[in-house]
Amino acid sequence: MFLRSLLQVVAITPLILLGHNYAAGEASANGLLFDPICKQISRGTSAATSVHYPGDLQYFEDISHWASSSAQRAMCTVRPATAADVGTILRILGSNRTPFAVKGGGHASNPGFSSTAGVLIAMSRFSEVTYGAASETVVVGAGLIWDDVYAALAPHNRNVVGGRVTGVGVAGFILGGGGYSWLTNQYGLTIDTVTAFELVKPDGVIVNVTEASDPDLFFGLKGGYNNFGIVTRFTLRTFPQGRVWGGLTTYLFTKIADVTAATARFSASVTDPKASIISMYNTLFGVPGIFVLMFYDGLEPPEGIFDDFLKIPHLTSDVSSRDFVSLVKAAPANFTYGRRAVFNTVSIENYTPTLLEAIHNETVFWGTRLALKSGFFITCDVEPFLPTILSHASSSSSAYPATRSTRFSPFHLYFAWTLSVFDADFHEAARQSAARIKELAVREGQKVADAPTYPNLAIYDTPLEAMYGTDNVAKLKALKNKVDPENVMGLAGGFKF
Ligand SMILES: Cc1cc2nc3c(=O)[nH]c(=O)nc-3n(C[C@H](O)[C@H](O)[C@H](O)COP(=O)(O)OP(=O)(O)OC[C@H]3O[C@@H](n4cnc5c(N)ncnc54)[C@H](O)[C@@H]3O)c2cc1C
Ligand SMILES: *[C@@H]1O[C@H](CO)[C@@H](O)[C@H](O)[C@H]1NC(C)=O
Ligand SMILES: *[C@@H]1O[C@H](CO)[C@@H](O)[C@H](O)[C@H]1NC(C)=O
Ligand SMILES: *[C@@H]1O[C@H](CO)[C@@H](O)[C@H](O)[C@H]1NC(C)=O
């Protein structure tokens, strides 16, 4: 409880700062340049679509991001209500060559990926969750966060393979090659559960993309981000879901060695696909500790799976039998809301004890140093997955991962801080730290030198080939030229083909 209260207090500060910055809403030179475009969008779209300007509460909500370093002051924001309006907006932006952004859940950890100084398209009005009992699929709007999808499916006792923690957007998660879920060991990656994308192409034409209707676009949308247009709805397979077991346990730094041993054993020996963990080596204001999120898809886990973790004396724990959405909301993801943040990732074959020790050392090494540069929360997240996770796909063709011959587990680090003057230091630390973990894994004999890097967790200057592989990059570039010859989507940020 002490931890909760501390985290709540520190979470509020940057929100106030952010509010102050953005509420000012001063006119800028850009304002004069883009304002006519915002008016044209307002006039050209249906009454249900709205345009918002600095000073409006909706504008402030639209430009807000989980990481304040991923937010920018847009000239205006627009909340389209229909796919046809999205098409109209894209035509206006394309013909005027106006920079824009598309925002789903706003959890991009890279600057400029879902923000702009131009026109921000906020997808929040696409919020339907329509379950089809006959097809056992669900249509979900591109403006939703996973929490809402889980909550809407719970009365049907069904679920989808989505994000593990509260607040993450459906759209970026899927389009960025996602994702890694509590249910991935049982059912695979989220992209492997998508059966259709409703897509507004860069020329404004609306299509439903399925494996049968357009195999190339279907392949490209599974990891290719916003390169091919704006997705308005996803159709996903659903799976049976009852109550689950798990939650968050936090331990003092004196228990890190025990948690490391338990994590290594879990990673090497647990084969029950209903079980999953994330071990989070961290420092909070420079003080080391470790958090573990445990998950079991059942009322109670069988004996032996989590016992090693449960017998270590903890600081706090909320592990219990609960519904799925409550477990997702228990993850400590919002206490850094509004801080600056950077993510980076390395694909790992095996979490060996020596590699885990090195990951621990990285956390303490950077956590101590970066605390002097307004570092707040430094975490290295260990997420072991089963070797079988890529075998659940009905089609083995997707932009990410570059290869499906081996499955890798995404290790990721995430640094949160306060002062923008230190941005470059944190970005460089995230590069160096990931490079070191990768080097150590290679030195141990893990075949990760060319393992595909997970786009959703990769730092912004990661080469395309590292994520998608040389062959897929060539295919994706050709597809991009065909779908978007005028390079309309090049006006939006993100990894670009
Ligand atoms: C706290 C946290 C927890 C996370 N947990 C997980 C996890 O458990 N598993 C996992 O695999 N990943 C996880 N991630 C990574 C996550 O998948 C990415 O951050 C993802 O891109 C977030 O999607 P979003 O819609 O919230 O992001 P946004 O910032 O809204 O968008 C991200 C990108 O997608 C594009 N985009 C968004 N909507 C559309 C659209 N409708 N059409 C076209 N392009 C669009 C944007 O332009 C942008 O380039 C996590 C991230 C955070 C910050
Ligand atoms: C795409 O599919 C959805 C769901 O089946 C449907 O509501 C929509 O009208 C379709 N759109 C087009 C352009 O065919
Ligand atoms: C976390 O923040 C998001 C907004 O980004 C919100 O939708 C979600 O409900 C929050 N989760 C919790 C548990 O407070
Ligand atoms: C800990 O990590 C730092 C930074 O990568 C490295 O320089 C140092 O040698 C490491 N220490 C140990 C004991 O591995």
Short mmCIF file of all heavy atoms in Angstrom, two decimals, residues 119-178:
data_model
loop_
_atom_site.label_atom_id
_atom_site.label_comp_id
_atom_site.label_asym_id
_atom_site.label_seq_id
_atom_site.Cartn_x
_atom_site.Cartn_y
_atom_site.Cartn_z
N VAL A 119 -2.08 17.93 -38.33
CA VAL A 119 -3.43 17.53 -37.94
C VAL A 119 -3.39 16.15 -37.28
O VAL A 119 -2.91 15.18 -37.89
CB VAL A 119 -4.36 17.49 -39.18
CG1 VAL A 119 -5.72 16.92 -38.82
CG2 VAL A 119 -4.49 18.88 -39.79
N LEU A 120 -3.87 16.07 -36.06
CA LEU A 120 -3.89 14.77 -35.38
C LEU A 120 -5.26 14.12 -35.55
O LEU A 120 -6.29 14.72 -35.22
CB LEU A 120 -3.58 14.93 -33.88
CG LEU A 120 -3.52 13.58 -33.18
CD1 LEU A 120 -2.21 13.42 -32.41
CD2 LEU A 120 -4.69 13.34 -32.27
N ILE A 121 -5.26 12.91 -36.10
CA ILE A 121 -6.51 12.16 -36.26
C ILE A 121 -6.64 11.23 -35.06
O ILE A 121 -5.85 10.29 -34.91
CB ILE A 121 -6.50 11.35 -37.57
CG1 ILE A 121 -6.23 12.26 -38.77
CG2 ILE A 121 -7.81 10.58 -37.74
CD1 ILE A 121 -6.04 11.52 -40.10
N ALA A 122 -7.59 11.53 -34.17
CA ALA A 122 -7.81 10.70 -32.97
C ALA A 122 -8.93 9.72 -33.30
O ALA A 122 -10.03 10.13 -33.67
CB ALA A 122 -8.17 11.58 -31.78
N MET A 123 -8.67 8.43 -33.14
CA MET A 123 -9.60 7.40 -33.59
C MET A 123 -10.65 7.03 -32.55
O MET A 123 -11.40 6.06 -32.73
CB MET A 123 -8.82 6.16 -34.02
CG MET A 123 -7.87 6.39 -35.18
SD MET A 123 -8.73 6.94 -36.68
CE MET A 123 -9.54 5.40 -37.16
N SER A 124 -10.74 7.80 -31.45
CA SER A 124 -11.55 7.38 -30.30
C SER A 124 -13.02 7.08 -30.60
O SER A 124 -13.66 6.33 -29.88
CB SER A 124 -11.46 8.45 -29.21
OG SER A 124 -11.69 9.73 -29.75
N ARG A 125 -13.57 7.68 -31.69
CA ARG A 125 -14.99 7.40 -31.98
C ARG A 125 -15.20 6.00 -32.55
O ARG A 125 -16.34 5.53 -32.62
CB ARG A 125 -15.54 8.44 -32.96
CG ARG A 125 -15.75 9.79 -32.30
CD ARG A 125 -16.96 10.52 -32.86
NE ARG A 125 -17.34 11.59 -31.96
CZ ARG A 125 -16.99 12.87 -32.11
NH1 ARG A 125 -16.26 13.24 -33.14
NH2 ARG A 125 -17.37 13.76 -31.24
N PHE A 126 -14.12 5.33 -32.95
CA PHE A 126 -14.27 3.94 -33.42
C PHE A 126 -14.16 3.05 -32.18
O PHE A 126 -13.09 2.57 -31.83
CB PHE A 126 -13.21 3.61 -34.47
CG PHE A 126 -13.45 4.35 -35.75
CD1 PHE A 126 -12.92 5.61 -35.95
CD2 PHE A 126 -14.26 3.80 -36.73
CE1 PHE A 126 -13.18 6.32 -37.11
CE2 PHE A 126 -14.52 4.50 -37.90
CZ PHE A 126 -13.98 5.76 -38.08
N SER A 127 -15.29 2.85 -31.52
CA SER A 127 -15.26 2.22 -30.19
C SER A 127 -16.21 1.04 -30.10
O SER A 127 -16.59 0.62 -29.01
CB SER A 127 -15.63 3.27 -29.14
OG SER A 127 -16.90 3.80 -29.43
N GLU A 128 -16.59 0.47 -31.26
CA GLU A 128 -17.53 -0.65 -31.17
C GLU A 128 -16.81 -1.94 -30.77
O GLU A 128 -15.65 -2.15 -31.10
CB GLU A 128 -18.24 -0.88 -32.52
CG GLU A 128 -17.39 -1.60 -33.53
CD GLU A 128 -18.15 -2.01 -34.80
OE1 GLU A 128 -18.85 -3.03 -34.76
OE2 GLU A 128 -18.00 -1.32 -35.81
N VAL A 129 -17.55 -2.78 -30.04
CA VAL A 129 -17.11 -4.15 -29.79
C VAL A 129 -18.32 -5.01 -30.13
O VAL A 129 -19.31 -5.01 -29.40
CB VAL A 129 -16.71 -4.39 -28.32
CG1 VAL A 129 -16.27 -5.83 -28.10
CG2 VAL A 129 -15.62 -3.42 -27.88
N THR A 130 -18.29 -5.68 -31.29
CA THR A 130 -19.45 -6.46 -31.73
C THR A 130 -19.07 -7.92 -31.82
O THR A 130 -18.31 -8.33 -32.70
CB THR A 130 -19.96 -5.95 -33.09
OG1 THR A 130 -20.10 -4.53 -33.03
CG2 THR A 130 -21.29 -6.59 -33.45
N TYR A 131 -19.60 -8.70 -30.86
CA TYR A 131 -19.27 -10.13 -30.83
C TYR A 131 -20.25 -10.92 -31.69
O TYR A 131 -21.46 -10.74 -31.58
CB TYR A 131 -19.31 -10.63 -29.37
CG TYR A 131 -19.06 -12.11 -29.26
CD1 TYR A 131 -17.88 -12.66 -29.74
CD2 TYR A 131 -20.02 -12.96 -28.71
CE1 TYR A 131 -17.64 -14.03 -29.65
CE2 TYR A 131 -19.79 -14.33 -28.61
CZ TYR A 131 -18.59 -14.85 -29.09
OH TYR A 131 -18.37 -16.20 -29.02
N GLY A 132 -19.70 -11.76 -32.55
CA GLY A 132 -20.53 -12.63 -33.37
C GLY A 132 -20.45 -14.05 -32.84
O GLY A 132 -19.42 -14.72 -33.01
N ALA A 133 -21.54 -14.48 -32.17
CA ALA A 133 -21.50 -15.80 -31.53
C ALA A 133 -21.30 -16.92 -32.54
O ALA A 133 -20.60 -17.90 -32.27
CB ALA A 133 -22.79 -16.02 -30.73
N ALA A 134 -21.90 -16.77 -33.73
CA ALA A 134 -21.81 -17.84 -34.73
C ALA A 134 -20.37 -17.99 -35.23
O ALA A 134 -19.85 -19.11 -35.34
CB ALA A 134 -22.76 -17.55 -35.88
N SER A 135 -19.73 -16.88 -35.52
CA SER A 135 -18.37 -16.95 -36.07
C SER A 135 -17.30 -17.01 -34.98
O SER A 135 -16.13 -17.27 -35.25
CB SER A 135 -18.11 -15.72 -36.94
OG SER A 135 -18.23 -14.55 -36.14
N GLU A 136 -17.73 -16.76 -33.72
CA GLU A 136 -16.78 -16.65 -32.61
C GLU A 136 -15.68 -15.63 -32.89
O GLU A 136 -14.53 -15.78 -32.49
CB GLU A 136 -16.20 -18.02 -32.23
CG GLU A 136 -17.28 -18.98 -31.73
CD GLU A 136 -16.73 -20.28 -31.17
OE1 GLU A 136 -15.61 -20.67 -31.54
OE2 GLU A 136 -17.43 -20.90 -30.36
N THR A 137 -16.05 -14.59 -33.64
CA THR A 137 -15.11 -13.49 -33.87
C THR A 137 -15.73 -12.21 -33.30
O THR A 137 -16.93 -12.15 -33.04
CB THR A 137 -14.81 -13.28 -35.36
OG1 THR A 137 -16.03 -12.96 -36.03
CG2 THR A 137 -14.15 -14.49 -35.99
N VAL A 138 -14.89 -11.20 -33.14
CA VAL A 138 -15.37 -9.93 -32.63
C VAL A 138 -14.83 -8.81 -33.52
O VAL A 138 -13.69 -8.87 -33.96
CB VAL A 138 -14.96 -9.74 -31.15
CG1 VAL A 138 -13.45 -9.65 -30.97
CG2 VAL A 138 -15.63 -8.50 -30.54
N VAL A 139 -15.68 -7.82 -33.79
CA VAL A 139 -15.24 -6.63 -34.53
C VAL A 139 -14.94 -5.56 -33.49
O VAL A 139 -15.79 -5.24 -32.65
CB VAL A 139 -16.34 -6.15 -35.51
CG1 VAL A 139 -15.89 -4.88 -36.23
CG2 VAL A 139 -16.66 -7.25 -36.51
N VAL A 140 -13.71 -5.04 -33.51
CA VAL A 140 -13.34 -4.01 -32.52
C VAL A 140 -12.88 -2.75 -33.23
O VAL A 140 -12.15 -2.80 -34.22
CB VAL A 140 -12.26 -4.50 -31.52
CG1 VAL A 140 -12.77 -5.68 -30.71
CG2 VAL A 140 -10.97 -4.85 -32.19
N GLY A 141 -13.29 -1.61 -32.70
CA GLY A 141 -12.95 -0.32 -33.27
C GLY A 141 -11.50 0.04 -32.98
O GLY A 141 -10.95 -0.33 -31.94
N ALA A 142 -10.90 0.81 -33.89
CA ALA A 142 -9.48 1.15 -33.81
C ALA A 142 -9.18 2.21 -32.75
O ALA A 142 -8.02 2.54 -32.53
CB ALA A 142 -8.98 1.63 -35.17
N GLY A 143 -10.22 2.73 -32.07
CA GLY A 143 -9.97 3.74 -31.04
C GLY A 143 -9.95 3.17 -29.64
O GLY A 143 -9.78 3.91 -28.67
N LEU A 144 -10.12 1.85 -29.53
CA LEU A 144 -10.26 1.25 -28.20
C LEU A 144 -8.92 0.93 -27.55
O LEU A 144 -7.91 0.79 -28.23
CB LEU A 144 -11.06 -0.06 -28.32
CG LEU A 144 -12.54 0.10 -28.64
CD1 LEU A 144 -13.13 -1.23 -29.10
CD2 LEU A 144 -13.29 0.61 -27.41
N ILE A 145 -8.96 0.81 -26.22
CA ILE A 145 -7.85 0.18 -25.51
C ILE A 145 -8.30 -1.24 -25.15
O ILE A 145 -9.50 -1.53 -25.11
CB ILE A 145 -7.42 0.98 -24.26
CG1 ILE A 145 -8.54 1.11 -23.24
CG2 ILE A 145 -6.90 2.36 -24.68
CD1 ILE A 145 -8.10 1.74 -21.91
N TRP A 146 -7.33 -2.11 -24.91
CA TRP A 146 -7.65 -3.53 -24.68
C TRP A 146 -8.56 -3.71 -23.47
O TRP A 146 -9.44 -4.58 -23.49
CB TRP A 146 -6.37 -4.35 -24.51
CG TRP A 146 -5.62 -4.51 -25.80
CD1 TRP A 146 -4.44 -3.91 -26.13
CD2 TRP A 146 -6.01 -5.30 -26.94
NE1 TRP A 146 -4.06 -4.29 -27.41
CE2 TRP A 146 -5.00 -5.14 -27.92
CE3 TRP A 146 -7.09 -6.13 -27.23
CZ2 TRP A 146 -5.06 -5.77 -29.17
CZ3 TRP A 146 -7.15 -6.76 -28.47
CH2 TRP A 146 -6.14 -6.58 -29.42
N ASP A 147 -8.37 -2.90 -22.42
CA ASP A 147 -9.21 -3.02 -21.22
C ASP A 147 -10.70 -3.08 -21.61
O ASP A 147 -11.46 -3.88 -21.08
CB ASP A 147 -9.06 -1.79 -20.29
CG ASP A 147 -7.62 -1.43 -19.95
OD1 ASP A 147 -6.76 -1.52 -20.84
OD2 ASP A 147 -7.37 -1.04 -18.80
N ASP A 148 -11.09 -2.18 -22.55
CA ASP A 148 -12.50 -2.06 -22.92
C ASP A 148 -12.96 -3.28 -23.72
O ASP A 148 -14.12 -3.71 -23.60
CB ASP A 148 -12.71 -0.79 -23.75
CG ASP A 148 -12.37 0.45 -22.96
OD1 ASP A 148 -12.48 0.42 -21.72
OD2 ASP A 148 -11.96 1.47 -23.58
N VAL A 149 -12.07 -3.84 -24.52
CA VAL A 149 -12.45 -5.02 -25.30
C VAL A 149 -12.65 -6.21 -24.36
O VAL A 149 -13.64 -6.95 -24.47
CB VAL A 149 -11.36 -5.34 -26.36
CG1 VAL A 149 -11.77 -6.55 -27.20
CG2 VAL A 149 -11.07 -4.13 -27.24
N TYR A 150 -11.73 -6.38 -23.41
CA TYR A 150 -11.87 -7.49 -22.45
C TYR A 150 -13.18 -7.35 -21.67
O TYR A 150 -13.90 -8.33 -21.46
CB TYR A 150 -10.70 -7.49 -21.45
CG TYR A 150 -9.33 -7.62 -22.07
CD1 TYR A 150 -8.22 -6.98 -21.50
CD2 TYR A 150 -9.12 -8.39 -23.21
CE1 TYR A 150 -6.95 -7.10 -22.04
CE2 TYR A 150 -7.85 -8.51 -23.77
CZ TYR A 150 -6.77 -7.86 -23.18
OH TYR A 150 -5.52 -7.96 -23.73
N ALA A 151 -13.46 -6.12 -21.21
CA ALA A 151 -14.66 -5.91 -20.40
C ALA A 151 -15.92 -6.22 -21.21
O ALA A 151 -16.87 -6.81 -20.69
CB ALA A 151 -14.69 -4.48 -19.88
N ALA A 152 -15.92 -5.85 -22.51
CA ALA A 152 -17.12 -6.08 -23.33
C ALA A 152 -17.31 -7.56 -23.65
O ALA A 152 -18.43 -8.02 -23.84
CB ALA A 152 -17.02 -5.27 -24.62
N LEU A 153 -16.22 -8.31 -23.71
CA LEU A 153 -16.33 -9.74 -24.06
C LEU A 153 -16.62 -10.61 -22.83
O LEU A 153 -17.10 -11.74 -22.97
CB LEU A 153 -15.06 -10.22 -24.75
CG LEU A 153 -14.91 -9.75 -26.20
CD1 LEU A 153 -13.52 -10.08 -26.73
CD2 LEU A 153 -15.98 -10.38 -27.09
N ALA A 154 -16.32 -10.09 -21.64
CA ALA A 154 -16.46 -10.89 -20.42
C ALA A 154 -17.86 -11.49 -20.24
O ALA A 154 -17.98 -12.66 -19.91
CB ALA A 154 -16.06 -10.06 -19.20
N PRO A 155 -18.95 -10.74 -20.50
CA PRO A 155 -20.28 -11.34 -20.35
C PRO A 155 -20.53 -12.52 -21.28
O PRO A 155 -21.40 -13.35 -21.01
CB PRO A 155 -21.23 -10.18 -20.71
CG PRO A 155 -20.42 -8.94 -20.55
CD PRO A 155 -19.02 -9.31 -20.83
N HIS A 156 -19.77 -12.61 -22.37
CA HIS A 156 -19.90 -13.74 -23.29
C HIS A 156 -18.96 -14.89 -22.89
O HIS A 156 -18.88 -15.89 -23.61
CB HIS A 156 -19.56 -13.31 -24.72
CG HIS A 156 -20.39 -12.18 -25.24
ND1 HIS A 156 -21.69 -12.35 -25.66
CD2 HIS A 156 -20.12 -10.85 -25.39
CE1 HIS A 156 -22.18 -11.18 -26.07
NE2 HIS A 156 -21.24 -10.25 -25.90
N ASN A 157 -18.19 -14.69 -21.81
CA ASN A 157 -17.15 -15.66 -21.45
C ASN A 157 -16.17 -15.93 -22.60
O ASN A 157 -15.77 -17.07 -22.84
CB ASN A 157 -17.77 -16.96 -20.93
CG ASN A 157 -18.59 -16.74 -19.69
OD1 ASN A 157 -18.14 -16.06 -18.76
ND2 ASN A 157 -19.82 -17.25 -19.68
N ARG A 158 -15.85 -14.88 -23.32
CA ARG A 158 -14.89 -14.99 -24.43
C ARG A 158 -13.80 -13.94 -24.22
O ARG A 158 -13.98 -12.97 -23.46
CB ARG A 158 -15.57 -14.70 -25.79
CG ARG A 158 -16.77 -15.56 -26.11
CD ARG A 158 -16.45 -17.01 -26.31
NE ARG A 158 -15.62 -17.30 -27.48
CZ ARG A 158 -15.27 -18.53 -27.86
NH1 ARG A 158 -15.66 -19.58 -27.14
NH2 ARG A 158 -14.53 -18.73 -28.92
N ASN A 159 -12.70 -14.13 -24.94
CA ASN A 159 -11.63 -13.14 -24.83
C ASN A 159 -10.83 -13.11 -26.13
O ASN A 159 -10.97 -13.98 -26.99
CB ASN A 159 -10.70 -13.48 -23.66
CG ASN A 159 -10.02 -12.25 -23.09
OD1 ASN A 159 -10.19 -11.14 -23.60
ND2 ASN A 159 -9.26 -12.43 -22.04
N VAL A 160 -9.99 -12.08 -26.25
CA VAL A 160 -9.08 -11.95 -27.39
C VAL A 160 -7.65 -11.92 -26.88
O VAL A 160 -7.40 -11.70 -25.70
CB VAL A 160 -9.37 -10.66 -28.20
CG1 VAL A 160 -10.63 -10.82 -29.02
CG2 VAL A 160 -9.44 -9.45 -27.30
N VAL A 161 -6.72 -12.13 -27.81
CA VAL A 161 -5.30 -12.14 -27.47
C VAL A 161 -4.79 -10.70 -27.60
O VAL A 161 -4.48 -10.25 -28.70
CB VAL A 161 -4.55 -13.09 -28.44
CG1 VAL A 161 -3.05 -13.11 -28.13
CG2 VAL A 161 -5.13 -14.50 -28.35
N GLY A 162 -4.75 -9.96 -26.48
CA GLY A 162 -4.37 -8.55 -26.55
C GLY A 162 -3.34 -8.17 -25.50
O GLY A 162 -2.63 -9.03 -24.97
N GLY A 163 -3.26 -6.88 -25.19
CA GLY A 163 -2.21 -6.35 -24.31
C GLY A 163 -2.30 -6.87 -22.89
O GLY A 163 -3.36 -7.27 -22.42
N ARG A 164 -1.17 -6.87 -22.20
CA ARG A 164 -1.09 -7.44 -20.86
C ARG A 164 -1.34 -6.43 -19.76
O ARG A 164 -1.58 -6.81 -18.62
CB ARG A 164 0.29 -8.09 -20.63
CG ARG A 164 0.43 -9.41 -21.33
CD ARG A 164 1.86 -9.88 -21.34
NE ARG A 164 2.67 -8.96 -22.14
CZ ARG A 164 3.95 -9.14 -22.42
NH1 ARG A 164 4.58 -10.19 -21.94
NH2 ARG A 164 4.61 -8.28 -23.18
N VAL A 165 -1.20 -5.12 -20.07
CA VAL A 165 -1.35 -4.13 -19.01
C VAL A 165 -2.37 -3.07 -19.42
O VAL A 165 -2.68 -2.91 -20.59
CB VAL A 165 0.00 -3.48 -18.63
CG1 VAL A 165 1.07 -4.53 -18.39
CG2 VAL A 165 0.46 -2.47 -19.66
N THR A 166 -2.84 -2.33 -18.45
CA THR A 166 -3.91 -1.37 -18.66
C THR A 166 -3.51 -0.24 -19.62
O THR A 166 -2.36 0.18 -19.65
CB THR A 166 -4.35 -0.77 -17.30
OG1 THR A 166 -5.46 0.08 -17.52
CG2 THR A 166 -3.24 0.03 -16.62
N GLY A 167 -4.48 0.22 -20.42
CA GLY A 167 -4.31 1.45 -21.20
C GLY A 167 -3.77 1.31 -22.61
O GLY A 167 -3.82 2.26 -23.38
N VAL A 168 -3.27 0.14 -23.00
CA VAL A 168 -2.61 -0.01 -24.31
C VAL A 168 -3.66 -0.06 -25.43
O VAL A 168 -4.69 -0.72 -25.31
CB VAL A 168 -1.74 -1.28 -24.34
CG1 VAL A 168 -1.06 -1.44 -25.69
CG2 VAL A 168 -0.71 -1.25 -23.21
N GLY A 169 -3.40 0.64 -26.53
CA GLY A 169 -4.33 0.71 -27.64
C GLY A 169 -4.34 -0.56 -28.49
O GLY A 169 -3.30 -1.19 -28.69
N VAL A 170 -5.53 -0.88 -28.99
CA VAL A 170 -5.71 -2.04 -29.86
C VAL A 170 -4.97 -1.82 -31.19
O VAL A 170 -4.27 -2.72 -31.69
CB VAL A 170 -7.22 -2.23 -30.15
CG1 VAL A 170 -7.48 -3.16 -31.31
CG2 VAL A 170 -7.93 -2.70 -28.89
N ALA A 171 -5.08 -0.61 -31.76
CA ALA A 171 -4.64 -0.39 -33.14
C ALA A 171 -3.12 -0.47 -33.30
O ALA A 171 -2.61 -1.24 -34.11
CB ALA A 171 -5.16 0.95 -33.65
N GLY A 172 -2.39 0.33 -32.52
CA GLY A 172 -0.94 0.32 -32.64
C GLY A 172 -0.38 -1.05 -32.29
O GLY A 172 0.53 -1.56 -32.95
N PHE A 173 -0.95 -1.65 -31.26
CA PHE A 173 -0.52 -2.97 -30.78
C PHE A 173 -0.58 -4.00 -31.93
O PHE A 173 0.38 -4.73 -32.17
CB PHE A 173 -1.45 -3.39 -29.64
CG PHE A 173 -1.15 -4.68 -28.94
CD1 PHE A 173 -0.44 -4.70 -27.75
CD2 PHE A 173 -1.63 -5.89 -29.44
CE1 PHE A 173 -0.20 -5.89 -27.08
CE2 PHE A 173 -1.39 -7.08 -28.77
CZ PHE A 173 -0.66 -7.08 -27.58
N ILE A 174 -1.69 -4.03 -32.65
CA ILE A 174 -1.83 -5.01 -33.74
C ILE A 174 -0.96 -4.60 -34.92
O ILE A 174 -0.19 -5.42 -35.45
CB ILE A 174 -3.30 -5.13 -34.19
CG1 ILE A 174 -4.17 -5.66 -33.04
CG2 ILE A 174 -3.41 -6.04 -35.42
CD1 ILE A 174 -5.65 -5.73 -33.37
N LEU A 175 -1.06 -3.32 -35.32
CA LEU A 175 -0.37 -2.90 -36.55
C LEU A 175 1.15 -2.88 -36.39
O LEU A 175 1.88 -2.97 -37.38
CB LEU A 175 -0.88 -1.52 -36.99
CG LEU A 175 -2.37 -1.50 -37.35
CD1 LEU A 175 -2.87 -0.07 -37.54
CD2 LEU A 175 -2.62 -2.32 -38.63
N GLY A 176 1.64 -2.79 -35.15
CA GLY A 176 3.08 -2.81 -34.91
C GLY A 176 3.63 -4.22 -34.73
O GLY A 176 4.70 -4.41 -34.17
N GLY A 177 2.87 -5.22 -35.19
CA GLY A 177 3.39 -6.60 -35.18
C GLY A 177 3.00 -7.37 -33.93
O GLY A 177 3.47 -8.47 -33.70
N GLY A 178 2.11 -6.78 -33.14
CA GLY A 178 1.77 -7.37 -31.85
C GLY A 178 0.95 -8.64 -31.97
O GLY A 178 0.53 -9.04 -33.03
#
